Amino acid sequence: MTTLNPDNDAELIALAVSMCKKAYAPYSAYAVGAAIRTETGNIYGGCNVENASYGLSNCAERTAVFSAVAQGERIITEVAVATEDGGSPCGACRQVLWEFAPKDGSPLRVLMADKNGTLIRETTIVELLPEAFVLR
Ligand code: THU
């Protein structure tokens, strides 16, 4: 697909990689870092935060989204996710990201990188979640 602002991708991926190092993942040992850019141009990081009660664990993407929303942000234009192997966001995180996608039809870009910051795949939230749940 077309890369809209590749000049800024390196910065976002670098933050995702650095957030990966802050992951609290003693149970899975699978560290995930995320970085999102909002329409205001601000960027926010997040990491996965696990818990002894496994189901309470929070993914890196949702940590980043919730941090941004708590600062008043409402539209996310890009997310970079960094993992050991360049893994893809889970279904729950796709739905949460979709909620804050641009409303004008422009894509919410999703960048998947490995732990070295190498871009493994670029796609969009609509490609990852074509039929999101919508409450009407
Ligand atoms: N995880 C994320 O942080 N993001 C995802 O999109 C998928 C999974 C975390 C949750 C858990 O801490 C670890 O990866 C293993 O599932």
Side-chain angles (χ1 to χ4, degrees):
M1 65 170 285
T2 307
T3 295
L4 300 177
N5 49 359
D7 293 348
N8 294 328
D9 288 353
E11 179 189 20
L12 207 62
I13 290 170
L15 178 59
V17 170
S18 88
M19 292 309 301
C20 205
K21 292 167 188 149
K22 294 188 174 168
Y24 177 72
Y27 304 105
S28 72
Y30 188 76
V32 185
I36 62 172
R37 182 179 286 108
T38 64
E39 69 172 355
T40 61
N42 293 324
I43 61 174
Y44 299 84
C47 61
N48 54 333
V49 182
E50 297 184 347
N51 191 273
S53 179
Y54 294 175
L56 301 182
S57 300
N58 202 55
C59 291
E61 298 92 323
R62 281 178 287 150
T63 303
V65 171
F66 297 158
S67 293
V69 171
Q71 295 304 313
E73 304 283 2
R74 290 294 184 269
I75 300 294
I76 296 169
T77 54
E78 279 128 349
V79 58
V81 184
T83 59
E84 173 82 28
D85 52 358
S88 184
C90 78
C93 290
R94 293 177 192 197
Q95 178 74 33
V96 167
L97 286 161
W98 195 97
E99 180 85 18
F100 299 103
K103 307 300 183 248
D104 63 1
S106 58
L108 191 171
R109 300 170 63 226
V110 180
L111 311 174
M112 302 171 208
D114 68 15
K115 63 179 179 182
N116 301 313
T118 301
L119 182 64
I120 303 297
R121 183 166 176 230
E122 175 178 344
T123 183
T124 68
I125 197 63
V126 170
E127 286 177 10
L128 290 178
L129 188 65
E131 295 190 37
F133 173 71
V134 181
L135 192 60
R136 298 187 193 280

